[in-house]
Every structure is written in C-alpha cells, then in structure tokens.
Coordinates of all heavy atoms in Angstrom, one line a residue:
Y1 N 0.8 -1.2 0.0 CA 0.0 0.0 0.0 C 0.9 1.2 0.0 O 1.7 1.4 0.8 CB -0.9 0.0 1.2 CG -1.9 1.1 1.3 CD1 -2.9 1.2 0.5 CD2 -1.7 2.1 2.3 CE1 -3.8 2.3 0.5 CE2 -2.5 3.2 2.3 CZ -3.6 3.3 1.5 OH -4.5 4.3 1.5
V2 N 0.7 2.1 -1.0 CA 1.5 3.3 -1.1 C 0.6 4.5 -0.8 O -0.5 4.6 -1.4 CB 2.1 3.4 -2.5 CG1 2.9 4.7 -2.7 CG2 2.9 2.2 -2.9
T3 N 1.0 5.3 0.0 CA 0.3 6.5 0.3 C 0.8 7.7 -0.5 O 1.9 7.7 -1.0 CB 0.3 6.9 1.8 OG1 1.7 7.3 2.1 CG2 -0.1 5.8 2.7
Y4 N 0.0 8.7 -0.6 CA 0.4 9.9 -1.3 C 1.7 10.5 -0.8 O 2.6 10.9 -1.6 CB -0.7 11.0 -1.2 CG -0.4 12.3 -1.8 CD1 -0.4 12.4 -3.2 CD2 0.0 13.4 -1.0 CE1 -0.1 13.6 -3.8 CE2 0.4 14.6 -1.6 CZ 0.3 14.7 -3.0 OH 0.6 15.9 -3.6
R5 N 2.0 10.4 0.5 CA 3.2 11.0 1.1 C 4.4 10.2 0.7 O 5.5 10.8 0.8 CB 3.0 11.1 2.6 CG 2.0 12.1 3.0 CD 1.8 12.0 4.5 NE 0.6 12.7 5.0 CZ 0.6 14.0 5.2 NH1 1.7 14.7 5.2 NH2 -0.5 14.6 5.6
T6 N 4.3 9.0 0.2 CA 5.5 8.2 -0.1 C 5.9 8.5 -1.6 O 7.0 8.0 -2.0 CB 5.3 6.7 0.0 OG1 4.3 6.3 -0.9 CG2 4.9 6.4 1.5
I7 N 5.1 9.2 -2.3 CA 5.5 9.5 -3.7 C 6.7 10.5 -3.7 O 6.7 11.5 -3.0 CB 4.3 10.1 -4.5 CG1 3.2 9.0 -4.6 CG2 4.8 10.6 -5.9 CD1 1.9 9.6 -5.2
K8 N 7.6 10.2 -4.5 CA 8.8 11.1 -4.6 C 8.4 12.5 -5.1 O 7.6 12.6 -6.1 CB 9.9 10.5 -5.5 CG 10.5 9.3 -5.0 CD 11.5 8.7 -6.0 CE 11.7 7.3 -5.8 NZ 12.2 6.6 -7.0
P9 N 8.9 13.6 -4.6 CA 8.4 14.9 -4.9 C 8.6 15.2 -6.4 O 7.8 16.0 -7.0 CB 9.3 15.8 -4.1 CG 9.8 15.0 -3.0 CD 9.8 13.6 -3.5
K10 N 9.6 14.7 -7.1 CA 9.9 15.0 -8.5 C 9.2 14.1 -9.5 O 9.4 14.2 -10.7 CB 11.4 15.1 -8.7 CG 12.0 16.1 -7.8 CD 12.8 17.1 -8.6 CE 13.3 18.2 -7.6 NZ 14.2 19.1 -8.2
Q11 N 8.4 13.1 -9.0 CA 7.7 12.3 -10.0 C 6.7 13.0 -10.7 O 6.0 13.9 -10.2 CB 7.1 11.1 -9.3 CG 8.0 10.0 -8.9 CD 7.3 8.8 -8.3 OE1 6.4 9.0 -7.5 NE2 7.8 7.6 -8.6
I12 N 6.5 12.7 -12.0 CA 5.4 13.3 -12.8 C 4.3 12.3 -13.1 O 4.5 11.1 -13.0 CB 6.0 13.8 -14.1 CG1 6.6 12.7 -15.0 CG2 7.0 14.9 -13.9 CD1 6.8 13.0 -16.4
C13 N 3.1 12.8 -13.3 CA 2.0 11.8 -13.7 C 1.8 11.9 -15.2 O 1.2 10.9 -15.7 CB 0.8 12.1 -12.9 SG 0.1 13.8 -13.2
N14 N 2.2 12.9 -15.9 CA 1.9 13.0 -17.3 C 3.2 12.7 -18.1 O 4.1 13.6 -18.1 CB 1.5 14.5 -17.7 CG 1.3 14.7 -19.2 OD1 1.3 13.7 -20.0 ND2 1.2 15.9 -19.6
P15 N 3.3 11.5 -18.7 CA 4.6 11.2 -19.4 C 4.7 11.8 -20.8 O 5.8 12.0 -21.3 CB 4.5 9.7 -19.5 CG 3.1 9.4 -19.5 CD 2.4 10.4 -18.7
C16 N 3.6 12.1 -21.5 CA 3.8 12.5 -22.9 C 2.7 13.4 -23.5 O 2.8 13.7 -24.7 CB 3.9 11.2 -23.7 SG 2.4 10.2 -23.6
I17 N 1.7 13.8 -22.8 CA 0.6 14.5 -23.4 C 0.8 16.1 -23.4 O 1.1 16.6 -22.3 CB -0.8 14.2 -22.7 CG1 -1.1 12.8 -22.9 CG2 -1.9 15.1 -23.1 CD1 -2.2 12.3 -22.0
S18 N 0.9 16.7 -24.6 CA 1.0 18.1 -24.7 C 2.1 18.7 -23.9 O 2.0 19.7 -23.2 CB -0.3 18.8 -24.4 OG -1.4 18.3 -25.2
K19 N 3.3 18.0 -23.9 CA 4.4 18.5 -23.1 C 5.0 19.8 -23.5 O 5.7 20.4 -22.8 CB 5.5 17.4 -23.1 CG 5.1 16.1 -22.5 CD 4.6 16.2 -21.1 CE 5.7 16.2 -20.1 NZ 5.1 16.1 -18.7
D20 N 4.5 20.3 -24.6 CA 5.0 21.7 -25.0 C 4.2 22.8 -24.3 O 4.5 24.0 -24.4 CB 4.8 21.8 -26.6 CG 3.3 21.6 -27.0 OD1 2.7 20.6 -26.4 OD2 2.8 22.3 -27.8
K21 N 3.1 22.4 -23.6 CA 2.3 23.4 -22.8 C 2.8 23.4 -21.4 O 3.2 22.4 -20.8 CB 0.9 23.0 -22.9 CG 0.3 23.1 -24.3 CD -1.2 22.7 -24.3 CE -1.8 22.6 -25.7 NZ -3.1 22.0 -25.7
D22 N 2.6 24.6 -20.7 CA 2.9 24.7 -19.3 C 1.9 24.0 -18.5 O 2.2 23.5 -17.4 CB 2.8 26.2 -18.9 CG 4.0 27.0 -19.5 OD1 5.0 26.4 -19.8 OD2 3.9 28.2 -19.6
K23 N 0.6 23.9 -19.0 CA -0.4 23.2 -18.2 C -1.4 22.6 -19.2 O -1.8 23.3 -20.2 CB -1.1 24.2 -17.3 CG -2.2 23.7 -16.5 CD -2.7 24.6 -15.4 CE -3.1 26.0 -15.9 NZ -3.6 26.9 -14.8
V24 N -1.8 21.4 -19.0 CA -2.8 20.8 -19.9 C -4.2 21.0 -19.3 O -4.5 20.5 -18.2 CB -2.5 19.3 -20.0 CG1 -3.5 18.6 -20.9 CG2 -1.1 19.0 -20.5
V25 N -5.0 21.7 -20.0 CA -6.4 21.9 -19.5 C -7.4 21.6 -20.7 O -7.1 22.0 -21.8 CB -6.6 23.4 -19.1 CG1 -8.0 23.7 -18.7 CG2 -5.6 23.8 -18.0
H26 N -8.5 21.0 -20.4 CA -9.5 20.7 -21.4 C -10.8 21.3 -20.8 O -11.1 21.1 -19.6 CB -9.7 19.2 -21.7 CG -8.5 18.6 -22.3 ND1 -7.5 18.1 -21.6 CD2 -8.2 18.5 -23.6 CE1 -6.6 17.6 -22.5 NE2 -7.0 17.8 -23.7
I27 N -11.5 22.0 -21.6 CA -12.8 22.6 -21.2 C -13.9 22.0 -22.1 O -13.8 22.0 -23.3 CB -12.8 24.1 -21.4 CG1 -11.7 24.7 -20.5 CG2 -14.2 24.7 -21.1 CD1 -11.5 26.2 -20.6
E28 N -14.9 21.5 -21.5 CA -16.0 20.9 -22.2 C -17.3 21.6 -21.7 O -17.5 21.8 -20.5 CB -16.1 19.4 -22.0 CG -14.9 18.7 -22.4 CD -15.1 17.4 -23.1 OE1 -16.3 17.2 -23.6 OE2 -14.2 16.6 -23.2
N29 N -18.2 21.9 -22.6 CA -19.5 22.5 -22.2 C -20.4 21.3 -21.7 O -20.6 20.3 -22.4 CB -20.1 23.2 -23.4 CG -19.3 24.4 -23.7 OD1 -18.9 25.2 -22.9 ND2 -19.1 24.6 -25.0
I30 N -21.0 21.5 -20.6 CA -21.9 20.5 -20.1 C -23.0 20.2 -21.1 O -23.4 19.0 -21.3 CB -22.6 21.0 -18.8 CG1 -21.5 21.1 -17.7 CG2 -23.8 20.2 -18.3 CD1 -22.0 21.8 -16.4
E31 N -23.5 21.2 -21.8 CA -24.6 21.0 -22.8 C -24.2 20.0 -23.9 O -25.0 19.4 -24.5 CB -25.0 22.3 -23.4 CG -25.7 23.2 -22.4 CD -24.7 24.0 -21.5 OE1 -23.5 23.9 -21.7 OE2 -25.2 24.7 -20.6
D32 N -22.8 19.9 -24.1 CA -22.4 19.1 -25.3 C -22.1 17.7 -24.8 O -21.7 16.8 -25.7 CB -21.1 19.7 -25.9 CG -21.4 21.1 -26.5 OD1 -22.5 21.4 -26.8 OD2 -20.4 21.8 -26.6
L33 N -22.1 17.4 -23.5 CA -21.8 16.0 -23.1 C -23.0 15.1 -23.5 O -24.1 15.4 -23.5 CB -21.7 16.0 -21.6 CG -20.5 16.7 -21.0 CD1 -20.6 16.6 -19.5 CD2 -19.2 16.2 -21.5
G34 N -22.6 13.9 -23.9 CA -23.5 12.9 -24.2 C -24.1 12.2 -23.0 O -24.1 12.8 -21.9
E35 N -24.7 11.0 -23.1 CA -25.3 10.3 -22.0 C -24.2 9.9 -21.0 O -24.5 9.8 -19.8 CB -26.1 9.1 -22.5 CG -27.3 9.5 -23.3 CD -28.3 10.3 -22.4 OE1 -28.7 9.9 -21.4 OE2 -28.7 11.4 -22.9
K36 N -23.1 9.5 -21.5 CA -22.0 9.0 -20.6 C -20.7 9.2 -21.3 O -20.5 8.9 -22.5 CB -22.3 7.5 -20.5 CG -21.4 6.8 -19.5 CD -21.9 5.4 -19.3 CE -20.8 4.4 -18.9 NZ -21.2 3.1 -18.9
T37 N -19.7 9.8 -20.6 CA -18.4 10.1 -21.1 C -17.4 9.7 -20.0 O -17.5 10.0 -18.9 CB -18.2 11.6 -21.4 OG1 -19.2 12.0 -22.3 CG2 -16.9 11.8 -22.1
S38 N -16.3 8.9 -20.4 CA -15.3 8.5 -19.5 C -14.0 9.3 -19.8 O -13.5 9.4 -20.9 CB -14.9 7.0 -19.7 OG -16.1 6.2 -19.4
Y39 N -13.5 10.0 -18.7 CA -12.3 10.8 -18.8 C -11.1 10.1 -18.2 O -11.2 9.5 -17.1 CB -12.6 12.1 -18.1 CG -13.6 13.0 -18.8 CD1 -14.9 13.0 -18.5 CD2 -13.2 13.8 -19.9 CE1 -15.9 13.7 -19.2 CE2 -14.1 14.6 -20.6 CZ -15.5 14.5 -20.2 OH -16.4 15.3 -20.8
C40 N -10.0 10.2 -18.9 CA -8.8 9.5 -18.5 C -8.2 10.2 -17.3 O -8.1 11.5 -17.2 CB -7.8 9.6 -19.6 SG -6.2 8.9 -19.2
R41 N -7.8 9.4 -16.3 CA -7.0 9.9 -15.1 C -5.7 9.3 -15.0 O -4.9 9.6 -14.1 CB -7.8 9.7 -13.8 CG -9.1 10.5 -13.8 CD -9.7 10.4 -12.4 NE -10.1 9.1 -12.0 CZ -10.7 8.8 -10.9 NH1 -11.0 9.8 -10.0 NH2 -11.1 7.6 -10.6
C42 N -5.3 8.5 -16.0 CA -4.0 7.8 -15.9 C -2.9 8.5 -16.8 O -1.8 8.3 -16.7 CB -4.0 6.3 -16.3 SG -4.2 6.0 -18.1
W43 N -3.4 9.4 -17.7 CA -2.5 10.2 -18.6 C -1.8 9.3 -19.6 O -0.8 9.6 -20.1 CB -1.5 11.0 -17.8 CG -2.1 12.1 -17.0 CD1 -2.7 12.0 -15.8 CD2 -2.3 13.5 -17.4 NE1 -3.2 13.2 -15.4 CE2 -2.9 14.1 -16.4 CE3 -1.9 14.2 -18.5 CZ2 -3.2 15.5 -16.4 CZ3 -2.2 15.5 -18.6 CH2 -2.9 16.2 -17.5
R44 N -2.4 8.1 -19.9 CA -1.8 7.2 -20.9 C -2.7 7.0 -22.1 O -2.4 6.3 -23.0 CB -1.5 5.9 -20.3 CG -0.2 5.7 -19.7 CD 0.0 6.5 -18.4 NE 1.3 6.3 -17.8 CZ 1.7 7.1 -16.8 NH1 0.9 7.9 -16.3 NH2 2.9 6.9 -16.3
S45 N -3.9 7.6 -22.1 CA -4.8 7.4 -23.2 C -4.4 8.1 -24.5 O -4.0 9.3 -24.5 CB -6.2 8.0 -22.8 OG -7.1 7.9 -23.9
A46 N -4.5 7.4 -25.6 CA -4.2 8.0 -26.9 C -5.3 8.9 -27.3 O -5.2 9.7 -28.3 CB -4.0 6.9 -28.0
K47 N -6.5 8.9 -26.6 CA -7.6 9.8 -26.9 C -7.8 10.8 -25.8 O -8.9 11.3 -25.6 CB -8.9 8.9 -27.0 CG -8.9 8.0 -28.2 CD -10.2 7.2 -28.4 CE -11.1 7.2 -27.2 NZ -12.3 6.4 -27.4
F48 N -6.7 11.1 -25.0 CA -6.8 12.0 -23.9 C -7.5 13.3 -24.4 O -7.2 13.8 -25.4 CB -5.4 12.3 -23.4 CG -5.4 12.9 -22.0 CD1 -5.4 12.1 -20.9 CD2 -5.4 14.3 -21.9 CE1 -5.4 12.7 -19.6 CE2 -5.5 14.9 -20.6 CZ -5.5 14.1 -19.5
P49 N -8.5 13.8 -23.6 CA -8.8 13.6 -22.2 C -9.7 12.4 -22.0 O -10.2 12.2 -20.9 CB -9.4 14.9 -21.7 CG -10.1 15.4 -22.9 CD -9.3 15.0 -24.1
Y50 N -10.1 11.7 -23.1 CA -11.0 10.6 -22.9 C -10.3 9.3 -22.6 O -9.2 9.1 -23.1 CB -11.9 10.4 -24.2 CG -12.5 11.7 -24.6 CD1 -12.1 12.4 -25.6 CD2 -13.6 12.2 -23.8 CE1 -12.7 13.7 -26.0 CE2 -14.2 13.4 -24.1 CZ -13.7 14.1 -25.2 OH -14.3 15.3 -25.5
C51 N -10.9 8.4 -21.9 CA -10.3 7.1 -21.5 C -10.4 6.2 -22.8 O -11.5 6.1 -23.4 CB -11.1 6.5 -20.4 SG -10.6 4.8 -20.0
D52 N -9.3 5.5 -23.1 CA -9.4 4.5 -24.2 C -9.0 3.1 -23.6 O -8.7 2.2 -24.4 CB -8.5 4.9 -25.3 CG -7.0 4.8 -25.0 OD1 -6.6 4.6 -23.8 OD2 -6.1 5.0 -25.9
G53 N -9.0 2.9 -22.3 CA -8.7 1.6 -21.7 C -7.2 1.4 -21.4 O -6.8 0.4 -20.9
A54 N -6.3 2.4 -21.8 CA -4.9 2.3 -21.6 C -4.5 2.1 -20.1 O -3.4 1.6 -19.8 CB -4.1 3.5 -22.2
H55 N -5.4 2.5 -19.2 CA -5.1 2.4 -17.8 C -4.9 0.9 -17.4 O -4.2 0.6 -16.5 CB -6.3 3.0 -16.9 CG -7.6 2.4 -17.2 ND1 -8.5 3.0 -18.1 CD2 -8.2 1.3 -16.7 CE1 -9.6 2.2 -18.1 NE2 -9.4 1.2 -17.3
G56 N -5.6 0.0 -18.1 CA -5.4 -1.4 -17.8 C -4.0 -1.9 -18.0 O -3.4 -2.5 -17.1
K57 N -3.4 -1.5 -19.1 CA -2.0 -1.9 -19.3 C -1.1 -1.2 -18.3 O -0.2 -1.8 -17.8 CB -1.6 -1.4 -20.8 CG -0.2 -1.8 -21.2 CD 0.0 -1.4 -22.7 CE 1.4 -1.8 -23.1 NZ 2.4 -0.7 -22.9
H58 N -1.3 0.1 -18.1 CA -0.5 0.8 -17.1 C -0.6 0.1 -15.7 O 0.4 -0.1 -15.0 CB -1.0 2.3 -17.0 CG -0.5 3.0 -15.8 ND1 0.8 3.5 -15.7 CD2 -1.1 3.3 -14.6 CE1 1.0 4.1 -14.6 NE2 -0.2 4.0 -13.9
N59 N -1.8 -0.2 -15.3 CA -2.0 -0.9 -14.0 C -1.2 -2.2 -13.9 O -0.6 -2.5 -12.9 CB -3.5 -1.0 -13.7 CG -4.1 0.3 -13.3 OD1 -3.5 1.3 -13.1 ND2 -5.4 0.3 -13.4
R60 N -1.4 -3.0 -15.0 CA -0.7 -4.3 -15.0 C 0.8 -4.2 -14.9 O 1.5 -4.9 -14.3 CB -1.1 -5.1 -16.3 CG -2.5 -5.7 -16.2 CD -2.7 -6.7 -17.4 NE -2.5 -6.1 -18.7 CZ -3.5 -5.4 -19.3 NH1 -4.7 -5.2 -18.8 NH2 -3.2 -4.9 -20.5
E61 N 1.3 -3.2 -15.7 CA 2.8 -3.0 -15.7 C 3.4 -2.4 -14.5 O 4.6 -2.6 -14.2 CB 3.2 -2.1 -16.9 CG 2.9 -2.8 -18.3 CD 3.2 -2.0 -19.5 OE1 3.5 -0.8 -19.3 OE2 3.2 -2.5 -20.6
T62 N 2.6 -1.6 -13.8 CA 3.2 -0.9 -12.6 C 2.6 -1.2 -11.3 O 3.2 -0.9 -10.2 CB 2.9 0.7 -12.8 OG1 1.5 0.9 -12.8 CG2 3.5 1.2 -14.1
G63 N 1.5 -2.0 -11.2 CA 0.9 -2.3 -10.0 C 0.0 -1.1 -9.5 O -0.5 -1.1 -8.3
D64 N -0.2 -0.1 -10.3 CA -1.0 1.0 -10.0 C -2.5 0.6 -10.0 O -2.8 -0.6 -10.4 CB -0.8 2.2 -11.0 CG -1.0 3.5 -10.4 OD1 -1.6 3.6 -9.3 OD2 -0.5 4.5 -11.0
N65 N -3.4 1.5 -9.7 CA -4.8 1.1 -9.6 C -5.7 2.2 -10.2 O -6.8 2.4 -9.7 CB -5.2 0.7 -8.2 CG -5.1 1.9 -7.3 OD1 -4.5 2.9 -7.6 ND2 -5.7 1.8 -6.1
V66 N -5.2 3.0 -11.2 CA -6.0 4.1 -11.6 C -7.0 3.7 -12.7 O -6.9 2.7 -13.3 CB -5.1 5.2 -12.3 CG1 -4.2 5.8 -11.2 CG2 -4.2 4.6 -13.4
G67 N -8.0 4.5 -12.8 CA -9.1 4.3 -13.8 C -9.8 5.7 -14.1 O -9.4 6.7 -13.5
P68 N -10.7 5.6 -15.0 CA -11.3 6.9 -15.4 C -12.3 7.5 -14.5 O -12.8 6.8 -13.5 CB -12.1 6.4 -16.7 CG -12.5 5.0 -16.4 CD -11.3 4.5 -15.6
I69 N -12.7 8.7 -14.7 CA -13.9 9.2 -14.1 C -15.0 9.2 -15.1 O -14.8 9.6 -16.3 CB -13.7 10.7 -13.5 CG1 -15.0 11.2 -12.9 CG2 -13.2 11.6 -14.6 CD1 -14.8 12.4 -12.1
V70 N -16.1 8.6 -14.8 CA -17.2 8.5 -15.7 C -18.3 9.5 -15.3 O -18.8 9.6 -14.2 CB -17.8 7.1 -15.6 CG1 -19.0 6.9 -16.6 CG2 -16.8 6.0 -15.9
V71 N -18.6 10.4 -16.3 CA -19.6 11.4 -16.1 C -20.8 10.9 -16.9 O -20.8 10.7 -18.1 CB -19.2 12.8 -16.7 CG1 -20.2 13.8 -16.5 CG2 -17.9 13.2 -15.9
K72 N -22.0 10.8 -16.2 CA -23.2 10.3 -16.9 C -24.4 11.0 -16.4 O -24.4 11.6 -15.3 CB -23.3 8.8 -16.7 CG -23.7 8.4 -15.3 CD -23.8 6.9 -15.3 CE -24.7 6.4 -14.2 NZ -26.1 6.8 -14.2
R73 N -25.4 11.0 -17.2 CA -26.7 11.5 -16.8 C -27.3 10.5 -15.9 O -27.1 9.3 -16.0 CB -27.5 11.8 -18.0 CG -26.9 12.8 -19.0 CD -27.8 13.4 -19.9 NE -27.1 14.3 -20.8 CZ -26.7 15.6 -20.5 NH1 -27.1 16.1 -19.4 NH2 -26.0 16.3 -21.3
K74 N -28.1 11.0 -14.9 CA -28.7 10.2 -13.9 C -29.4 8.9 -14.4 O -29.3 7.9 -13.9 CB -29.7 11.0 -13.1 CG -29.0 11.7 -11.9 CD -30.0 12.3 -11.0 CE -29.4 13.0 -9.8 NZ -30.3 13.7 -9.0
N75 N -30.1 9.0 -15.5 CA -30.9 7.9 -16.0 C -30.2 7.1 -17.1 O -30.8 6.2 -17.6 CB -32.2 8.4 -16.5 CG -33.0 9.0 -15.4 OD1 -33.0 8.6 -14.2 ND2 -33.7 10.1 -15.7
A76 N -28.9 7.5 -17.4 CA -28.2 6.7 -18.4 C -27.6 5.4 -17.9 O -27.5 5.2 -16.8 CB -27.1 7.6 -19.0
Ligands
FES1 FE1 -6.5 6.6 -18.7 FE2 -8.5 4.9 -18.9 S1 -7.0 5.4 -20.3 S2 -8.0 6.2 -17.2

C-alpha cells in the first residue's frame, strides 16, 4: 500500500501529453456532453482527455490502480 506521502516529490504523472504546454487543460461544455463520457485519469490514453482503456496496461505493468472518471446523466 502506497500513500500519497510516499511519492517522490519530483515524480510526474503526465509522461507525454502536450508536453509543449505549461499546463494541460480541457474545457467541455456541459450541454455538449452525451449520456455517458469516460475521462482519463492515468494520462496514458491515446484519446486524452477521454479514456481508451490504456489504464489497464498501465496498472498491469506498474501495480497502480488508476481508472477513469465516468460522467453520466442520472438515468443513463
Ligand atoms: Fe487513462 Fe482509462 S485510459 S483512465
């Protein structure tokens, strides 16, 4: 079990997405969201900011346990 405090201060979570930018930000209008959208939180998706399942490979290779945030309408 690894706690947040054991992470080395200089570790990064984003290995390759938009590294030319100072900060990676995506803005989406709530009105444009579909019934259900999965957003990547592992920073390994080829479809970032959307989840493409790459977290599974990352978790298997590293022992990590990350997954997406799923935004859905209540009745979806
Ligand atoms: Fe990153 Fe699914 S691909 S959370």
Side-chain angles (χ1 to χ4, degrees):
Y1 182 71
V2 178
T3 66
Y4 175 77
R5 290 174 194 273
T6 64
I7 296 172
K8 294 178 200 154
K10 299 237 174 172
Q11 281 185 321
I12 59 167
C13 61
N14 175 13
C16 59
I17 295 169
S18 303
K19 296 306 274 188
D20 57 319
K21 296 180 183 170
D22 290 336
K23 178 168 57 177
V24 181
V25 176
H26 293 88
I27 298 174
E28 301 222 17
N29 293 314
I30 290 172
E31 293 80 4
D32 296 338
L33 293 177
E35 292 299 305
K36 186 173 156 187
T37 305
S38 296
Y39 291 94
C40 177
R41 293 193 295 183
C42 74
W43 292 83
R44 269 70 181 174
S45 173
K47 296 185 341 187
F48 198 88
Y50 307 106
C51 173
D52 71 353
H55 58 266
K57 180 173 182 273
H58 167 75
N59 288 344
R60 282 191 302 279
E61 290 177 352
T62 64
D64 209 345
N65 64 347
V66 295
I69 180 168
V70 179
V71 178
K72 71 177 203 61
R73 300 201 182 273
K74 273 189 176 175
N75 296 325

